[in-house]
Amino acid sequence: MTTTLWTRVDSPVGPLLLTADATGALTSLSVPRQKNGRTVEAGWRRDTGPFRAAEEQLAAYFAGELKDFRLEFSTAGSAFRERVWAALDSVPYGATVTYGEIAARIGASRAAVRAVGGAIGANPLLVVRPCHRVIGANGSMTGYAGGMERKMRLLTLEGVLQG
């Protein structure tokens, strides 16, 4: 049986639910009403200790003082999803990319754009793994598991959109 640690952190985009494994590596960051987001389960242990670095970095990010998260992650996805998520990690603060660009970065064909979108939608680490920086090929604001309002707020914070 694996141990799941959790805490909640207040933020400008609502309360964040953070989970970690027994080593303290961040396994998820969810927001209320998130598509496929996590909710506290029986048997999880509330413990703020392993989340201090994440709390500090999230506060600095929302204050506009941090551009790159330096946190240990432990996510479980297929090899394809892990490649997509690693490509998300390389999208710099204040920049956007398209689904097609992410597909190209991982060496996937143009036909794989839908699968890339599915992997991005399954990102378990909202905010810290910047899936909000992915937009449509025509520059449109496309779906975001945390909701379009949150996506717009994050992109405004990063200076991509005018506030």
Side-chain angles (χ1 to χ4, degrees):
M1 184 169 141
T2 61
T3 300
T4 300
L5 307 173
W6 71 276
T7 194
R8 282 202 203 324
V9 176
D10 288 330
S11 84
V13 295
L16 307 176
L17 172 63
L18 283 71
T19 63
D21 62 19
T23 70
L26 196 62
T27 55
S28 72
L29 187 156
S30 300
V31 297
R33 297 173 308 284
Q34 173 185 333
K35 182 180 177 187
N36 300 318
R38 298 191 83 180
T39 56
V40 178
E41 296 180 17
W44 287 11
R45 192 173 84 226
R46 187 170 198 161
D47 184 351
T48 59
F51 301 100
R52 285 192 186 101
E55 284 188 66
E56 290 170 7
Q57 290 183 40
L58 284 162
Y61 169 79
F62 286 116
E65 301 164 356
L66 180 81
K67 299 193 182 341
D68 294 307
F69 289 96
R70 304 262 186 254
L71 298 169
E72 183 181 344
F73 304 143
S74 177
T75 54
S78 67
F80 179 81
R81 283 186 173 180
E82 292 289 345
R83 286 197 330 267
V84 170
W85 297 341
L88 289 176
D89 290 336
S90 72
V91 180
Y93 181 98
T96 58
V97 297
T98 66
Y99 294 90
E101 288 169 330
I102 293 290
R105 285 183 186 195
I106 66 166
S109 71
R110 188 86 181 120
V113 169
R114 274 196 178 297
V116 166
I120 291 170
N123 171 23
L125 294 166
L126 292 195
V127 183
V128 297
R129 179 165 278 151
C131 54
H132 59 276
R133 297 179 187 154
V134 182
I135 61 173
N138 63 358
S140 63
M141 293 296 123
T142 55
Y144 180 61
M148 288 304 292
E149 182 180 322
R150 285 190 182 100
K151 179 174 186 153
M152 306 286 269
R153 287 190 73 177
L154 294 170
L155 292 175
T156 300
L157 170 73
E158 294 185 12
V160 173
L161 301 175
Q162 298 302 310

